[in-house]
Amino acid sequence: MELKNCINDIFKDYCEEYKCLLHDFRPWAEEHSIHETNQVSNFISTYRKKREKSIACLEFSIPYNNAEGVKKRDSVDGLIVDADTIIFIEAKRFSRGKKIRDLEEDLKRIKVLAEDEVCRKKIKDRLPKKDAPYNCFCLLLADFWADHNSGIQCKYKEKINLNWDAIWVGYNATLSGSRYSSDKNINIKVHENYYLAYALFELTDF
């Protein structure tokens, strides 16, 4: 499976699902606000329609030890396991300006967890093929209302219109290593001034 092409196709179907959802239904109240959990659950649902043998869950828990050796617990918004591929998923609403930076921090955090030997073993022990190698990726999902919160101040943002390319390039730079690569899709309008976007980043294999 060529994951980049697969994700790109699934993302387009995912956007179509959103268009259908928002055609005559308004999940928000007084403000344009759709919880990011919907991004993760809808993407996973769309993915599994295309890749029926994959497995997935929301809020995947990851135990680890901190620098002092104290046992801690983290989680990612979603996880997909598809044959020999693991996809960690994080999502944010960019209409809340600080979420642009928060999503970058999520990417950094997952990168660290994916490189920690103890953490990797604890994750692999819970996967279908415990002793098999896995290709590991991080999928970032984002949404944005172009007519809402136009006062966002962020180095990645131009007034009202987000520069998605600049955001994903900036995120890729945080990985700081030539072995990491990214794929992205331009934002897609799914309802009035509501847009969805994604970026896919390659992490250390398990």
Side-chain angles (χ1 to χ4, degrees):
M1 174 180 63
E2 176 53 51
L3 188 64
K4 290 182 180 181
N5 293 335
C6 177
I7 293 295
N8 186 64
D9 290 342
I10 290 170
F11 179 76
K12 291 175 181 176
D13 290 344
Y14 155 81
C15 288
E16 290 301 316
E17 292 284 345
Y18 257 88
K19 289 178 183 178
C20 292
L21 169 68
L22 301 178
H23 176 66
D24 55 4
F25 172 62
R26 303 294 180 265
W28 58 89
E30 295 179 0
E31 294 186 357
H32 297 337
S33 178
I34 304 175
H35 198 279
E36 55 256 31
T37 300
N38 289 283
Q39 295 182 57
V40 183
S41 61
N42 288 338
F43 186 88
I44 286 176
S45 175
T46 305
Y47 188 100
R48 296 205 66 245
K49 288 177 184 177
K50 292 281 190 180
R51 305 282 300 175
E52 294 180 357
K53 293 185 178 180
S54 64
I55 57 175
C57 72
L58 299 173
E59 293 298 329
F60 180 73
S61 179
I62 302 176
Y64 70 99
N65 297 332
N66 67 11
E68 290 74 37
V70 179
K71 292 183 178 180
K72 296 286 185 178
R73 190 173 300 277
D74 205 336
S75 66
V76 294
D77 290 343
L79 178 82
I80 295 173
V81 182
D82 187 356
D84 61 352
T85 299
I86 300 171
I87 307 170
F88 296 110
I89 305 174
E90 289 286 349
K92 288 289 185 290
R93 292 177 290 158
F94 282 179
S95 289
R96 297 180 62 188
K98 75 182 189 68
K99 295 296 185 178
I100 299 174
R101 178 61 64 194
D102 290 348
L103 190 56
E104 181 177 15
E105 293 303 315
D106 287 340
L107 176 61
K108 291 179 182 177
R109 175 174 54 84
I110 291 172
K111 173 182 180 290
V112 170
L113 293 173
E115 292 179 345
D116 182 88
E117 290 296 334
V118 174
C119 183
R120 288 154 61 93
K121 184 178 187 308
K122 288 181 178 180
I123 292 173
K124 285 199 71 172
D125 285 347
R126 298 153 64 191
L127 298 179
K129 301 176 182 178
K130 299 177 178 57
D131 299 321
Y134 284 91
N135 300 312
C136 187
F137 296 84
C138 181
L139 175 70
L140 301 182
L141 300 172
D143 72 359
F144 178 71
W145 290 92
D147 62 343
H148 184 58
N149 279 4
S150 60
I152 293 172
Q153 297 298 318
C154 176
K155 75 174 187 177
Y156 292 126
K157 183 182 181 299
E158 299 171 358
K159 190 172 183 179
I160 299 182
N161 294 315
L162 287 180
N163 186 335
W164 298 106
D165 286 346
I167 292 172
W168 304 141
V169 168
Y171 286 2
N172 195 47
T174 70
L175 296 179
S176 63
S178 59
R179 75 175 307 278
Y180 299 101
S181 62
S182 66
D183 191 25
K184 59 170 176 54
N185 196 50
I186 60 171
N187 53 310
I188 291 181
K189 182 177 181 178
V190 295
H191 173 73
E192 296 176 354
N193 290 305
Y194 185 56
Y195 295 81
L196 299 172
Y198 83 89
L200 179 68
F201 297 91
E202 181 183 1
L203 300 176
T204 301
D205 293 342
F206 271 48

